[in-house]
C-alpha cells in the first residue's frame, strides 16, 4: 500500500537523472549516490570475474579450434561412451532418489513420531560429507581390500572400478535433494486435504496420487532438477570408485579430466560445454520452478545449499 | 530409533518409514560405520602417525587455511553482492542473480579446468596478473581462488533471503528516530544479518574442506606445498592403503561435523533470539 | 440413521480430551456440540467420523458397532473447519472426487457423475462456479462447495466442524438459515460443532453442551436455555450476572443486602443453606424507582448505552458488584434514568446454585 505511494511522491519531488536508469536503490526516494554505484560495481566485478567469465570461457575455448573439431570431440567413441554412462547413471539414480524422497517426505511431513529430527539429520548427512569421502566409503565396503569386497569379487561381482560403484556413489551424494525439498512442502500443506479424501472414500494410493502429489508437484520437480544436475556433474565421489577407464567407467566429468591430462584442452572444453549447457538449463529451470515453490524462503534456500561437488 | 507414532488415519506410514530407514541404512549408515570400524582396527598409534606425517600435516594446513581464507573473502564480497542484488535495481541484475547458483550446477571438474585456463599465466586474467608478479595457477593462491568460486552461492543465498525479509520499516523507524544511515546500518541492519553471514561463512568453509574437483586442476598438487587433504585420500586409496585414507578422512569428516553442529547451534540461537 | 457413542475416552498425552462421553443422535436430527475450545467437541466429532480413534468406548451406527470400521467405509460426510478443498481441482472435480475414487464396480459413469455433481451444485446454488478453483471462491462459497462434496457420496451422517467459524458475521447469518432449510429438506442425520451459542440455539434440534471432556447437558435449545442443569450451562448460554453470597432459610445474603428467592428458586434450593452462586440474566432484570422490599435490591446507575435493539444499563449493587440490565426502549423512556441515580433492581427470574467451600 504505502510503497507505491512513496515512490510516486519521490518521483514527483525529485526527478531521476540518467544514472537512475542504470542503477537505483529499491527503496526510499534517494537518488543514486557514489556509494551506491561502488556497491553495485564491486558486486558486478566479483560475480563477473568468478562466475560470468568462467562460463563464457568454457564456450569460447570449446569452439577455439572450430566447429568441426568441436563435433569430432563430442562424438568420438570415448566421448559417446562417457555421455551414455552419465545418462544411464542419472536415469538409474533419479527414480530411486525420487522414490526415496517421496517416502521420506510422506513419513516425515505427514506423521508425528519420535526420532524425527534424528532422521532428518541423517537424510542431510551426505551433504556434510566430502564427496571424496563419500566415494571412499564404498571403496572401504566393496573395494579389493574392503569389508565385503573380496568375497563379492570371488563370486564375480565387481562394484568398485565398475558401473555399480559409480551408481552407488552418485546415489549417496544426491540422495538428500528430493527428500529435503519435499519434507517442508509436505509439512506446510498439512494433512487436512488427505483426511478429506479418505473421508470421501479414497484409498491410500488414490489419496497420494490424486491429492498429495498434485499439491507438491513443484517441490518434487525442483528437487529432481537439483538431483539431476548433481548426478550428471558429480566428480569427486565418482572419481574415487570408478577407476576412470575410458570407454568403460568414465562419466563425462571424469572424461574431461582424462582429456585435460592428455593436454587435449579443446576437446576437454568441448565436453565441458555440454555439461555447462546442462548447468545453464538447470539454472533456468530452477528459476522458473523456484517461483512456484517460493524460493527465497529460508526453507528452500537451505535446500539449494549443495548442488555440485 | 524409537518410533512412537500418534495413530493417524493417513495410511502408509509403515511403508514410507520402512523405505526411508532401509534406504538410509544401506546407503548412509552402513557405509559410514566402515570409517569408524577401520579406524578402530588400526589403533591409535598408527592413526596418529598417519595424520601427523609431514605430508598429511601440510595438506591439512593448506586445506584448512585456504578454505578459511576463501570463506572470509566469500563472506565479505558475497555479502556486498547480496546487498546489491536485493537493494538495487540495475542493468544485468537478473542475470547476475541467476548465475550466483552456477557453482552449484557446474560440475567441479569443469570449474577446475576453466579456472585453471583463466588464471594460468597465459590466461585471460592470469596474463594480467603475471606482470605484477602474481601467480595464481599452480600455487596456494590458486586453491583459494577455486574455493572462492565454490563458496560464492553459500554466502549469497543465505544472506539474500534475510535481507529481503528485513522490513524496510525498521530502517525507516531508525531514521525517524534520528539515526544517520551509517548508524542505522551498524545498529539495525548488521545485527539482524550477522547470523546469516556467519552461517554462509561456515557453509562455505565446510564445503571448501571437502572440495576436490575444482581444486586439483589449479593447485598443481605439489607435495607439502599445494596438496589438499581430499587429494591425499584419493592418493592413498589408489595405493590401496585404505587405513591411511580412512585416518586422513576421519579428521576432515569430524571437522565438517563440528562446523555443521556450530551452524545448527547458531541457527537455533538466532531463531530463539530474533523470533517475534 | 441413528448414531450412538458410549463411554468414549480419548487422551492426547497428558491432556484428556474426552472422559467417558455417551450420546445418542436420532435419525434425521440436527445436533449441535457446543463448547469452548478444548472442551472435546471437535475430538468427539472426529471420533464419530473415524478420523480419530478413541482410547476406549464404542461408536454405533444404526445400533451396529462401527468402532472398528475405517473412515473410508463409515459413509459419513465430513465438512472440515477450513473446508480442506482440493486446491488443484475445480469445484466440479472437488465434488466429483468421492464418486471417482469408488472401486470400478461401484463407480458411476461419467454422465452420471456429471449429473450428480450438477444436482449438488444446484442444491448449494453454485451451478455457475463449476469450473472455478477453490482459490477463486469467497469463504461462503467454499463452505457450500465443501458441503456439496461431502453430500456427493450420499452419506448417512453429515458431520460439520465449526461450519461457520471462518466466515464473517453477515455471511454466517445467511448460511445458517440456508443450512437449516437444507437440513429440513434433506433430513439427513447431522452433527455440527460450534463455540457460538446463538448458532447452536438457532440451528439445532438438540444442543449438547460440553465442558472439559464431559457432556454437561443435552436438550432442546429451549431446555438448555431456560432450564440449565448447572452453573456452567447457565453461565455459558447467554450473558449473565453472577453474584456470590450465602443462602439461609430461602434468602440470599449478598453483603448487607438480603434478597428473597422466588418460589421456583426456593424449590430448587430445597431448604438447603450454604455458599451460593446467584445467576441473573440481564434481560430478566427490571429497574424500578421504588423498592419491592425483599424482592429487589438497591443499585446505582453507572452507564447507559442506548444504541442497539436493547438499552444496556450498567449499575453497581450496594455490595459492590457490577450489574448488567437490558431494557427495551419503551421502558427506558418511561423510567428516564440518568447515570448516578439510585434505583431498585428486581429479578423476574434467577437461578441459584449452591456450592460448598
Amino acid at each position: 500500500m504505502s510503497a507505491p505511494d512513496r515512490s510516486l511522491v519521490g518521483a514527483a519531488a525529485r526527478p531521476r537523472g540518467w544514472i537512475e536508469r542504470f542503477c537505483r536503490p529499491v527503496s526510499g526516494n534517494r537518488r543514486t549516490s557514489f556509494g551506491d554505484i561502488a556497491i553495485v560495481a564491486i558486486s558486478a566485478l566479483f560475480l563477473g570475474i568468478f562466475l560470468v567469465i568462467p562460463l563464457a570461457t568454457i564456450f569460447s575455448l570449446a569452439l577455439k579450434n572450430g566447429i568441426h573439431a568441436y563435433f569430432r570431440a563430442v562424438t568420438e567413441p570415448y566421448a559417446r561412451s562417457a555421455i551414455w554412462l552419465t545418462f544411464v547413471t542419472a536415469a538409474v539414480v533419479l527414480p530411486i532418489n525420487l522414490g526415496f524422497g517421496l517416502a521420506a517426505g510422506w513419513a516425515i511431513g505427514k506423521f508425528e513420531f519420535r526420532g524425527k529430527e534424528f532422521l532428518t539429520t541423517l537424510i542431510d548427512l551426505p551433504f556434510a560429507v566430502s564427496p571424496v569421502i563419500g566415494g571412499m566409503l564404498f571403496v572401504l565396503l566393496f573395494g579389493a581390500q574392503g569389508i565385503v569386497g573380496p568375497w563379492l569379487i570371488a563370486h564375480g561381482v565387481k562394484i568398485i572400478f565398475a558401473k555399480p560403484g559409480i551408481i552407488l556413489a552418485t546415489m549417496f551424494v544426491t540422495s538428500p535433494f528430493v527428500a529435503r525439498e519435499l519434507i517442508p512442502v509436505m509439512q506446510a500443506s498439512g494433512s487436512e486435504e488427505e483426511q478429506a479424501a479418505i473421508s470421501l472414500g479414497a484409498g491410500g494410493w488414490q489419496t497420494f496420487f490424486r491429492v498429495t502429489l498434485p499439491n507438491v508437484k513443484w517441490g518434487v520437480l525442483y528437487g529432481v532438477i537439483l538431483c539431476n544436475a548433481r548426478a550428471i556433474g558429480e566428480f569427486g565421489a565418482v572419481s574415487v570408485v570408478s577407476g576412470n577407464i575410458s570407454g568403460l567407467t568414465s562419466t563425462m566429468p571424469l572424461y574431461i579430466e582424462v582429456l585435460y591430462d592428455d593436454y587435449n584442452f579443446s576437446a576437454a572444453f568441448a565436453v565441458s560445454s555440454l555439461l555447462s549447457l546442462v548447468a545453464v538449463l538447470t539454472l533456468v529451470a530452477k528459476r522458473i520452478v523456484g517461483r512456484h515453490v517460493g524460493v527465497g524462503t529460508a526453507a528452500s534456500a537451505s535446500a539449494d545449499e549443495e548442488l555440485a561437488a | 530409533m524409537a518410533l512412537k507414532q500418534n495413530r493417524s488415519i493417513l495410511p502408509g506410514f509403515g511403508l514410507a518409514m520402512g523405505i526411508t530407514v532401509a534406504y538410509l541404512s544401506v546407503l548412509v549408515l552402513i557405509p559410514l560405520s566402515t570409517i569408524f570400524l577401520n579406524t578402530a582396527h588400526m589403533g591409535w598409534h598408527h592413526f596418529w602417525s598417519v595424520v601427523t606425517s609431514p605430508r598429511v600435516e601440510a595438506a591439512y594446513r593448506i586445506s584448512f587455511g585456504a578454505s578459511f581464507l576463501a570463506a572470509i573473502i566469500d563472506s565479505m564480497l558475497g555479502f556486498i553482492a547480496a546487498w546489491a542484488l536485493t537493494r538495487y535495481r540495475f542493468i544485468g541484475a537478473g542475470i547476475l542473480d541467476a548465475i550466483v547458483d552456477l557453482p552449484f550446477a557446474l560440475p567441479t571438474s569443469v570449474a577446475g579446468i576453466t579456472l585453471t585456463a583463466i588464471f594460468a599465466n597465459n590466461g585471460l586474467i592470469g596474463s594480467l596478473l603475471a606482470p605484477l608478479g602474481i601467480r595464481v595457477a599452480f600455487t596456494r593462491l590458486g586453491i583459494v581462488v577455486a574455493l572462492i568460486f565454490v563458496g560464492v552461492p553459500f554466502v549469497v543465498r543465505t544472506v539474500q533471503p534475510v535481507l529481503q525479509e528485513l522490513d524496510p520499516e525498521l530502517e525507516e523507524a531508525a531514521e525517524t528516530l534520528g539515526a544517520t544511515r551509517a548508524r542505522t546500518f551498524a545498529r539495525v541492519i548488521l545485527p539482524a544479518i550477522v547470523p546469516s553471514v556467519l552461517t554462509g561463512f561456515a557453509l562455505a568453509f565446510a564445503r571448501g574442506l571437502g572440495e576436490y574437483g575444482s581444486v586439483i586442476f589449479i593447485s598443481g598438487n605439489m607435495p607439502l606445498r599445494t596438496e589438499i587433504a581430499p587429494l591425499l585420500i584419493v592418493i592413498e586409496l589408489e595405493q590401496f592403503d585404505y587405513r591411511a585414507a580412512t585416518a586422513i578422512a576421519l579428521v576432515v569428516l569430524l571437522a565438517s561435523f563440528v562446523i555443521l553442529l556450530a551452524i545448527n547451534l547458531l541457527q537455533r540461537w538466532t531463531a530463539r533470539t530474533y523470533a517475534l | 440413521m441413528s448414531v450412538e457413542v458410549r463411554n468414549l475416552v480419548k487422551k492426547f498425552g497428558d491432556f484428556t480430551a474426552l472422559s467417558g462421553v455417551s450420546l445418542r443422535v436420532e435419525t434425521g436430527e440436527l445436533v449441535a456440540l457446543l463448547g469452548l475450545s478444548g472442551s472435546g467437541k471437535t475430538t468427539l466429532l472426529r471420533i464419530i467420523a473415524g478420523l480419530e480413534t478413541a482410547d476406549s468406548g464404542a461408536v454405533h451406527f444404526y445400533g451396529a458397532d462401527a468402532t472398528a470400521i475405517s473412515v473410508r467405509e463409515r459413509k459419513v460426510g465430513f465438512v472440515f473447519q477450513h473446508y480442506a478443498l482440493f486446491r488443484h481441482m475445480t469445484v466440479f472435480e472437488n465434488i466429483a472426487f468421492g464418486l471417482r475414487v469408488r472401486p470400478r464396480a461401484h463407480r458411476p459413469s461419467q454422465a452420471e457423475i456429471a449429473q450428480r455433481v450438477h444436482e449438488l451444485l444446484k442444491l448449494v446454488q453454485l451451478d455457475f462456479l463449476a469450473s472455478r478453483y477453490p482459490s477463486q471462491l469467497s469463504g461462503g462459497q467454499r463452505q457450500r462447495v465443501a458441503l456439496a462434496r461431502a453430500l456427493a457420496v450420499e452419506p448417512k451422517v453429515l458431520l460439520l466442524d465449526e461450519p461457520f467459524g471462518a466466515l464473517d458475521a453477515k455471511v454466517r447469518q445467511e448460511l445458517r438459515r440456508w443450512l437449516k432449510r437444507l437440513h429440513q429438506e434433506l433430513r439427513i442425520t447431522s452433527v455440527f460443532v460450534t463455540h457460538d451459542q446463538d448458532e447452536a440455539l438457532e440451528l439445532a434440534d438438540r444442543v449438547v453442551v460440553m465442558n472439559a471432556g464431559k457432556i454437561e447437558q443435552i436438550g432442546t435449545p429451549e431446555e438448555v436455555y431456560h432450564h440449565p442443569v448447572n452453573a456452567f450451562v447457565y453461565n455459558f448460554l447467554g450473558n449473565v450476572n453472577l453474584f456470590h453470597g450465602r443462602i439461609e432459610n430461602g434468602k440470599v445474603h449478598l453483603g448487607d443486602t438480603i434478597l428473597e428467592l422466588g418460589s421456583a428458586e426456593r424449590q430448587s434450593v430445597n431448604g438447603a443453606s450454604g455458599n451460593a452462586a446467584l445467576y441473573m440474566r440481564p434481560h430478566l432484570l427490571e429497574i424500578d424507582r421504588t423498592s419491592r422490599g425483599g424482592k429487589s435490591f438497591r443499585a446505582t446507575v453507572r452507564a447507559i448505552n442506548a444504541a442497539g435493539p436493547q438499552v444496556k444499563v450498567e449499575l453497581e449493587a450496594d455490595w459492590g458488584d457490577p450489574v448488567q440490565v437490558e431494557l427495551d426502549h419503551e421502558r427506558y423512556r418511561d423510567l428516564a434514568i440518568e447515570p448516578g441515580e439510585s434505583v431498585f433492581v428486581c429479578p423476574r427470574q434467577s437461578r441459584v446454585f449452591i456450592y460448598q467451600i
Side-chain angles (χ1 to χ4, degrees), chain C residues 282-326:
Chain C
H283 68 273
L284 293 175
L285 292 175
E286 278 176 38
I287 293 179
D288 265 319
R289 290 197 176 274
T290 52
S291 168
R292 293 193 197 170
K295 291 203 168 80
S296 64
F297 59 86
R298 191 195 287 273
T300 312
V301 178
R302 288 292 176 220
I304 299 169
N305 176 9
Q310 296 261 294
V311 180
K312 290 176 182 152
V313 184
E314 274 185 51
L315 305 100
E316 188 183 311
D318 268 1
W319 62 92
D321 275 342
V323 185
Q324 312 263 347
V325 178
E326 283 173 21

Side-chain angles (χ1 to χ4, degrees), chain B residues 31-56:
Chain B
L32 210 59
S33 63
T34 58
I35 279 206
F36 297 96
L37 211 69
N38 258 24
T39 333
H41 267 290
M42 72 193 293
W44 175 250
H45 205 75
H46 187 183
F47 173 82
W48 191 247
S49 72
V50 171
V51 298
T52 54
S53 72
R55 195 174 167 191
V56 175

Side-chain angles (χ1 to χ4, degrees), chain A residues 121-283:
Chain A
T121 313
L122 206 60
I123 288 171
D124 280 344
L125 199 71
F127 280 165
V129 176
S130 163
V132 166
I133 297 176
M136 184 192 82
L137 299 179
F138 295 98
V139 176
L140 295 184
L141 262 180
F142 302 116
Q145 290 160 44
I147 294 171
V148 292
W151 185 86
L152 286 175
I153 289 164
H155 287 76
V157 180
K158 205 159 179 243
I159 291 179
I160 299 306
F161 302 151
K163 282 160 191 154
I166 294 173
I167 288 170
L168 269 178
T170 310
M171 269 161 69
F172 176 87
V173 285
T174 60
S175 64
F177 282 107
V178 181
R180 90 183 286 190
E181 194 56 45
L182 267 188
I183 291 167
V185 186
M186 288 247 198
Q187 241 155 6
S189 61
S191 64
E192 267 216 335
E193 285 181 47
E194 281 80 5
Q195 290 181 15
I198 287 171
S199 80
L200 291 168
W205 293 110
Q206 281 176 323
T207 305
F208 183 75
F209 284 111
R210 284 169 180 252
V211 176
T212 308
L213 212 49
N215 270 336
V216 298
K217 59 174 188 260
W218 291 109
V220 174
L221 196 58
Y222 196 77
V224 166
I225 289 168
L226 301 187
C227 184
N228 176 61
R230 180 74 187 264
I232 286 175
E234 179 51 30
F235 177 74
V238 171
S239 160
V240 171
V241 295
S242 97
N244 207 350
I245 309 157
S246 292
L248 270 180
T249 62
S250 196
T251 62
M252 289 167 80
L254 296 178
Y255 183 58
I256 290 168
E257 187 188 18
V258 174
L259 292 172
Y260 190 83
D261 287 347
D262 286 347
Y263 298 100
N264 195 349
F265 295 142
S266 65
F269 280 102
V271 178
S272 294
S273 72
L274 296 181
L275 288 171
S276 308
L277 207 61
V278 174
V280 171
L281 289 178
T282 301
L283 293 188

Side-chain angles (χ1 to χ4, degrees), chain A residues 193 195 198 201-202 206 210 214, chain C residues 46 71-72 86-88 101:
Chain A
E193 285 181 47
Q195 290 181 15
I198 287 171
Q206 281 176 323
R210 284 169 180 252
Chain C
R46 289 174 64 88
V71 56
R72 280 184 70 193
F86 306 127
R87 280 167 280 181
H88 60 285
V101 297

Side-chain angles (χ1 to χ4, degrees), chain C residues 60-294:
Chain C
H60 286 243
F61 281 14
Y62 256 143
D65 193 346
T67 316
I69 294 177
S70 80
V71 56
R72 280 184 70 193
E73 282 132 27
R74 273 194 201 190
K75 288 253 175 191
V76 297
F78 198 96
V79 177
F80 290 80
Q81 185 179 0
H82 302 289
Y83 320 131
L85 293 177
F86 306 127
R87 280 167 280 181
H88 60 285
M89 294 181 199
T90 60
V91 166
F92 184 96
E93 285 303 320
N94 260 285
I95 297 172
F97 183 87
L99 303 171
R100 290 205 198 284
V101 297
R102 283 193 187 163
R104 192 152 294 149
H106 304 285
R107 198 181 303 160
S109 71
Q110 288 294 342
E112 284 166 335
I113 291 177
Q115 198 201 339
R116 178 98 185 99
V117 171
H118 281 295
E119 278 169 24
L120 284 161
L121 278 169
K122 249 179 237 144
L123 183 71
V124 299
Q125 300 157 358
L126 290 176
D127 216 10
F128 60 104
L129 291 177
S131 56
R132 297 276 187 92
Y133 284 90
S135 60
Q136 301 166 312
L137 304 181
S138 72
Q141 290 169 339
R142 285 179 208 179
Q143 164 70 48
R144 284 185 278 162
V145 172
L147 194 63
R149 184 179 68 176
L151 291 173
V153 294
E154 289 166 348
K156 294 177 185 151
V157 184
L158 187 63
L159 305 171
L160 307 104
D161 185 6
E162 293 276 4
F164 314 110
L167 302 170
D168 52 50
K170 200 162 156 48
V171 182
R172 199 184 302 199
Q173 288 280 353
E174 278 169 31
L175 267 178
R176 217 188 265 174
R177 262 172 260 136
W178 176 79
L179 187 71
K180 179 99 185 169
R181 275 203 310 276
L182 190 74
H183 179 258
Q184 279 162 355
E185 203 175 310
L186 300 174
R187 277 290 154 203
I188 178 169
T189 311
S190 307
V191 182
F192 73 98
V193 155
T194 180
H195 64 269
D196 182 335
Q197 17 148 336
D198 292 342
E199 205 165 285
L201 297 176
E202 184 183 326
L203 259 179
D205 298 326
R206 283 196 301 153
V207 177
V208 178
V209 184
M210 294 190 66
N211 178 36
K214 283 202 177 84
I215 292 179
E216 299 280 358
Q217 187 173 5
I218 305 177
T220 64
E222 289 75 27
E223 277 167 2
V224 293
Y225 188 77
H226 292 299
H227 307 287
V229 294
N230 60 27
F232 175 83
V233 178
Y234 201 94
N235 197 11
F236 189 61
L237 293 175
N239 289 332
V240 77
N241 291 296
L242 165 62
F243 310 119
H244 291 284
R246 269 194 73 75
I247 192 155
E248 266 161 29
N249 302 325
K251 287 184 177 140
V252 187
H253 296 250
L254 298 156
D256 292 334
T257 309
I258 298 171
L259 206 57
E260 280 173 24
L261 291 174
S263 59
E265 291 97 65
R266 222 173 6 232
Q267 226 166 25
S268 81
V269 169
N270 201 13
S273 55
N275 291 313
L278 191 64
Y279 290 83
M280 295 173 183
R281 300 241 187 252
H283 68 273
L284 293 175
L285 292 175
E286 278 176 38
I287 293 179
D288 265 319
R289 290 197 176 274
T290 52
S291 168
R292 293 193 197 170

